[in-house]
Amino acid sequence: MQMENIVCVAQRINMGTRITFQLEERYNLQHGMSGAGGAIRVERARKQRATTHGFKLDRGLVKKQRRVGVPFKAAATAESEAQVRTISKDPIMLANYVPVYVMLPLGVVTNDNVLQDRVGLENQLKELQAVGVDGVMVDVWWGIVESKGPQQYDWSAYRTLFQMVQDCKLKLQAIMSFHKCGGNVGDSVLIPLPKWVLEIGESDPDIFYTNRKGIRNKECLSLGVDNQPLFHGRTAIELYTDYMQSFRDNMEDFLESELMIDIEVGLGPAGELRYPSYTKNLGWEFPGIGEFQCYDKYLKADFKGAALRADHPEWELPDNAGESNDVPESTEFFKSGGTYQTEKGKFFLTWYSNKLLTHGDEILDEANNVFLGCKVKLAAKVAGIHWWYKAESHAAELTSGYYNLHHRDGYRPVARMLSRHNAILNFTCLEMRNHEQPAKAQSGAQELVQQVLSCGWMENLEVAGENALARYDREAYNQILLNARPNGVNQFGPPTLKMYGVTYLRLSDKLMQQTNFNIFKAFVRKMHANLEYCPDPEKYYHFTVPMERSKPKIPLEVLLEATKPVEPYPWYKETDMSLDVTGFLDYIVAIIVRIFKLKLN
C-alpha cells in the first residue's frame, strides 16, 4: 500500500511538471515573439564561411536578438499536447545546445605512465555517456610522457585512454600540460616536471619563476627562458613544440577520426596564461594578493633593457609590493595612490603583462604550425582571479599578469592575441557568486566572468569555461547555466550569447554518488536546452574545419588598443533554465527506484 502511494505521488508530480513545461513553452511562444512571422525552420545547420559562431558580431556589438525566451512567470490556460510545441524534438532549439565535458581525475595516468583502474574508469565513462555528456577533458602531462630523457616520449598509456574514450562514444579535450601538478588548490596528486628538466634547474635555478626574496617556483619554466637554448641546446618553446609534434605524430589516428575537439595549450601554472603569483605550498593563503614573479636573472635583464630603451636606466623592479598574503592597502605599491599609479609603476605593469601576451602568442603560433591541417581547434586558459577585483588596485590580478583596472581592460588584449590563432578562450570560476566569498576578499567573481566572456565575444572568439572548485549543488549549476547563456534560451534560433562549451570539474566518486549524479544529469539536460544528447555538433553550430595558419602577428601597440574599457554585454540576473524542479523530480525518482530494488531483494 505504501509503495502504491509513493508511485501515485510520483506520477502526479511528473504529470504536473510536464504540464508546467508545456505551459512555459506556450507562454514563451506567445510573449517571446516581436514582429510578424513564425519560427524559422532549420532542417540542418549549414557550414559558415567566415565565422564559426552561431551568431554574428558587428564591430564588437552583438546584433539585437529579435526573440528571446523568458522565464515562466505567469499563469496560462492548459492546452492539449498537440497544440504545444515539444522542445525536445525541435531542431531550432539545437541552436541553444551547449555541450558538456567532464575533466578526468588528475592522476588518471600515474607517474609510472600506467592507466589507473581501467575497469572502473570505463564504467564511469559509460555512465557519463548514458546521461548525455558530450566528452571528457584530460591533462597530458609533460612530466609523465617525457620523463625518461630529452625527446624520449612514451604515449602508450594515453593511447590506451584515448581508445577507451573513443569506444565509449565520447569526444576529447586534450591539455598539453607543461606544468607541475601538486601544491595548488584541488591538486590531489604530485606530478613534477620531467626529472631531467629539474636537474638543469639545479645548476641554473633561474629557469624557474622567482619572487623578490629569491624563492623559486618549480611549477613551470619561467617565460624568461622561452628563447634561451638552455635545455641541451633547445629553448623552452622548442621543448613545448617538440612535445606537441610528437603528440601529433603518435595520435594521428585519433586526430583523423576527429575524437579530439580541441587541444588546450598549457601556458603557465595550472595550464593558465598567468604568472604563478599565488602558490599554496609556498605559503599563499586565500585571499592574499600574491607576489610578482619576475626576479630570475633572465627577466631582470629583460626589464633592465626595456627601462634603458625608455630612457629610465634608474628604474628597477618593484621592491615595495609586499608579500604573498598581504592586503593591497598594507603595501606601498598597491595602496590608494601607490606606486602602481605612477609613471614607473605603469611602465612596469605594462612590461610585465606584455611579456605574458608575447609568451602566449609565441607558443600558440608554434602549436598552430604543429597541428596545421588537423580538424581540431586550439584553446588557451585564462585564470579567474576574482579576489580583490573590487579593490581599486585589483592587486591579485596585477601580480598574476592581468593589468586590469577600472579604466584599463586587462583581458581584451589577451582575447585579441588569441584571435589571430582562432583559439578558444577558456575561462574559470563560472560557478562562483560574490556573496559566497568572504567580504574581506572584495571578490567580484560575477563581474569578472561577465567582463572576460564579453571580451572574448567582442573579439569574435569562441568562449568556453569551467568551474574553479568542485561543486554538486543546484546553486552552482544554475550559475554555470546563467553564464553559458547570459541572455537565456531563444526558441527561434541562435541565442544572442552562448558559450562554446562548458567543462565540469571533475569526475570523482563523489560526483558519481546517486544524489549528486542525479542533479548533474539534470544539469546536463539543461545545458542541452532540454534536448537529448546530439551526436552531430554541426546541428548546434559547431563546425570544425582543417586548421589554417595563424594570421600575421598583431603588433603590441594594436593589442594594447584593446585596453580601452567598454561596457560588457548585459546578463540576466537568473538563468531561464533553472534546475530547481527537475533536480527535485530526479531525487524523488531515485528514491522510488531504490525502494523498488529493496522490495525485489
Side-chain angles (χ1 to χ4, degrees), residues 40-48 89-95 258 375 494 534-544:
I40 302 170
R41 304 299 298 182
V42 178
E43 296 302 323
R44 181 178 176 83
R46 295 182 180 179
K47 289 189 177 181
Q48 302 167 335
K89 295 181 180 179
D90 190 343
I92 296 293
M93 285 297 289
L94 277 167
E258 299 183 41
K375 293 187 74 173
C534 179
D536 183 0
E538 289 194 2
K539 288 186 176 179
Y540 51 86
Y541 297 85
H542 279 206
F543 305 112
T544 306

Side-chain angles (χ1 to χ4, degrees), residues 114-132:
V114 175
L115 183 59
Q116 193 173 56
D117 188 14
R118 293 178 56 173
V119 174
L121 177 63
E122 184 174 16
N123 288 335
Q124 289 182 330
L125 293 179
K126 288 178 178 178
E127 288 190 65
L128 292 178
Q129 197 277 334
V131 301

Side-chain angles (χ1 to χ4, degrees), residues 470-486:
R471 294 277 295 271
Y472 309 97
D473 56 289
R474 293 185 190 88
E475 289 76 13
Y477 287 131
N478 282 336
Q479 189 64 26
I480 296 172
L481 283 161
L482 171 61
N483 290 321
R485 288 180 293 255

Side-chain angles (χ1 to χ4, degrees), residues 93-270:
M93 285 297 289
L94 277 167
N96 297 276
Y97 185 108
V98 178
V100 178
Y101 310 95
V102 176
M103 294 186 203
L104 295 184
L106 291 166
V108 66
V109 172
T110 69
N111 269 322
D112 297 325
N113 211 344
V114 175
L115 183 59
Q116 193 173 56
D117 188 14
R118 293 178 56 173
V119 174
L121 177 63
E122 184 174 16
N123 288 335
Q124 289 182 330
L125 293 179
K126 288 178 178 178
E127 288 190 65
L128 292 178
Q129 197 277 334
V131 301
V133 167
D134 297 87
V136 294
M137 174 184 275
V138 65
D139 289 276
V140 184
W141 295 105
W142 181 30
I144 292 176
V145 174
E146 200 178 354
S147 63
K148 295 180 180 177
Q151 296 182 284
Q152 296 182 40
Y153 307 105
D154 183 355
W155 302 100
S156 56
Y158 284 102
R159 282 197 56 83
T160 302
L161 173 61
F162 289 9
Q163 187 62 57
M164 181 185 294
V165 171
Q166 190 168 58
D167 291 343
C168 291
K169 297 181 174 57
L170 293 165
K171 292 294 186 180
L172 183 70
Q173 298 174 304
I175 309 175
M176 302 291 98
S177 297
F178 298 116
H179 60 283
K180 166 190 173 182
C181 179
N184 274 314
V185 177
D187 287 351
S188 55
V189 296
L190 176 63
I191 303 172
L193 299 184
K195 183 180 178 181
W196 60 272
V197 172
L198 295 175
E199 288 173 350
I200 293 172
E202 290 176 4
S203 57
D204 185 2
D206 287 281
I207 67 172
F208 300 117
Y209 284 111
T210 308
N211 69 8
R212 188 175 62 85
K213 288 186 174 180
I215 298 173
R216 315 290 184 175
N217 189 316
K218 298 181 180 179
E219 282 186 79
C220 55
L221 296 177
S222 165
L223 61 79
V225 299
D226 276 355
N227 296 295
Q228 300 287 341
L230 305 171
F231 306 92
H232 303 285
R234 292 188 292 165
T235 66
I237 289 182
E238 286 172 339
L239 298 183
Y240 310 144
T241 304
D242 291 344
Y243 182 87
M244 290 187 286
Q245 184 62 58
S246 180
F247 178 88
R248 174 175 178 166
D249 294 342
N250 285 272
M251 303 298 182
E252 192 75 34
D253 51 337
F254 294 118
L255 286 163
E256 289 177 357
S257 70
E258 299 183 41
L259 168 68
M260 285 172 250
I261 60 160
D262 65 60
I263 294 173
E264 185 172 295
V265 182
L267 300 172

